[in-house]
Amino acid sequence: MGESPLIRDITFGQFYPAQSPIHRLDPRVKIVCTLLFLISLFIQRSILGYAIATLFLALVILFSKVPLKYILKGLRPVILLLLITVSFNLFLTRGEELLVQFGFIRIYKAGLTTAVFMGIRLMYLILGSSIMTFTTTPNALTDGLESLLKPLERIRVPVHEVAMMMSIALRFIPILLEETDKIMKAQIARGADLDSGNVFQRVKGMVPILVPLFVSAFRRANDLALAMEARCYHGSEGRTKMKPLYYRRRDYLAYGKMVLYLGAMIVFGHFVDFDV
């Protein structure tokens, strides 16, 4: 009996080991560049701008050496969310130019344009974020996030604790997925039918899975807390890094390429505007 298709398709938060230029970058570079890429998507208002973003994302995926099939597999669990978002923008956005009318259903040019580009934004948001997690270990991601948020310690923000919580959450994703798959197999072996019936019956059928999953998650969290206390963990006080972060030449080059991308988005991305 193989894994459930839903469990098998969830790849977000998992590290994909490879020897690539993207893997070797400083985690701070990847975090900052990912944020800038996501911001550039939501401030962009032109077809040419999205073409530049598509080319940039394609090059990053190529140099990351993460299989495209593996990356696209992470989109499957959020297809329903994408369809709902696109549908709302398609049917609820009004404009001056009416394209199609079926009874009370009207599709305007502004609604179609907004729906298409909102779908592209959400897909690129997921793909861009996934590249960061695929090419960065949880430990490196935690160290990079803690280093970037270090100035907030002056206003007494528990930066180390916040970064630690995010790291633990990322580490728990594959563990909880594996635990969910085991519980589903156990329930199916006991005669549970999880694939048939309408939506409400399927939701009701998830109860025997969610209850033991929550119990297992709380038990693992308690075991982790006890293990950290047994090792005299006291937060960031007196802690040193096993692998200190240093900027290298390739990191500065990556920042320079990101600046060129943003410059191209600003200069060329406003030639073909559309209303949203």
Side-chain angles (χ1 to χ4, degrees), residues 64-76:
S64 70
K65 295 184 180 179
V66 180
L68 181 61
K69 182 179 179 181
Y70 186 82
I71 297 174
L72 294 178
K73 191 165 63 172
L75 287 175
R76 293 180 186 175

Side-chain angles (χ1 to χ4, degrees), residues 74-89:
L75 287 175
R76 293 180 186 175
V78 296
I79 286 179
L80 180 60
L81 177 62
L82 288 173
L83 291 177
I84 292 174
T85 303
V86 170
S87 298
F88 271 103
N89 284 277

Side-chain angles (χ1 to χ4, degrees), residues 226-243:
L226 292 175
M228 294 174 72
E229 289 181 0
R231 289 168 174 79
C232 301
Y233 175 78
H234 297 293
S236 59
E237 181 181 354
R239 292 184 64 84
T240 57
K241 300 294 181 183
M242 186 177 190
K243 296 179 179 180

Side-chain angles (χ1 to χ4, degrees), residues 23-188:
H23 282 75
R24 290 191 290 269
L25 288 176
D26 189 285
R28 294 170 292 183
V29 176
K30 286 182 273 191
I31 293 173
V32 172
C33 290
T34 300
L35 290 176
L36 293 176
F37 175 72
L38 300 184
I39 293 172
S40 72
L41 294 177
F42 283 91
I43 65 174
Q44 187 51 242
R45 297 181 59 85
S46 75
I47 297 174
L48 184 57
Y50 278 97
I52 296 173
T54 302
L55 177 61
F56 179 78
L57 183 60
L59 290 175
V60 171
I61 293 175
L62 178 64
F63 284 110
S64 70
K65 295 184 180 179
V66 180
L68 181 61
K69 182 179 179 181
Y70 186 82
I71 297 174
L72 294 178
K73 191 165 63 172
L75 287 175
R76 293 180 186 175
V78 296
I79 286 179
L80 180 60
L81 177 62
L82 288 173
L83 291 177
I84 292 174
T85 303
V86 170
S87 298
F88 271 103
N89 284 277
L90 179 63
F91 297 115
L92 299 181
T93 302
R94 295 290 182 261
E96 297 180 356
E97 185 176 347
L98 179 64
L99 297 179
V100 180
Q101 181 174 359
F102 296 103
F104 65 92
I105 298 177
R106 297 180 179 181
I107 300 178
Y108 293 86
K109 181 180 179 181
L112 178 61
T113 305
T114 303
V116 170
F117 283 93
M118 183 57 69
I120 294 175
R121 285 172 181 172
L122 292 178
M123 284 193 297
Y124 285 9
L125 185 150
I126 297 171
L127 293 176
S129 302
S130 298
I131 287 295
M132 181 183 67
T133 58
F134 289 152
T135 60
T136 314
T137 63
N139 284 341
L141 199 59
T142 302
D143 292 342
L145 186 63
E146 183 178 353
S147 177
L148 291 174
L149 298 179
K150 201 75 172 177
L152 295 180
E153 289 185 345
R154 298 180 179 179
I155 56 176
R156 300 192 177 184
V157 175
V159 172
H160 175 79
E161 286 71 16
V162 171
M164 179 64 70
M165 285 190 294
M166 295 188 65
S167 173
I168 292 174
L170 288 175
R171 286 174 175 270
F172 263 63
I173 290 176
I175 295 174
L176 291 179
L177 291 178
E178 182 181 356
E179 190 73 21
T180 303
D181 187 59
K182 290 180 180 179
I183 295 173
M184 291 179 67
K185 290 178 179 178
Q187 296 295 351
I188 292 174

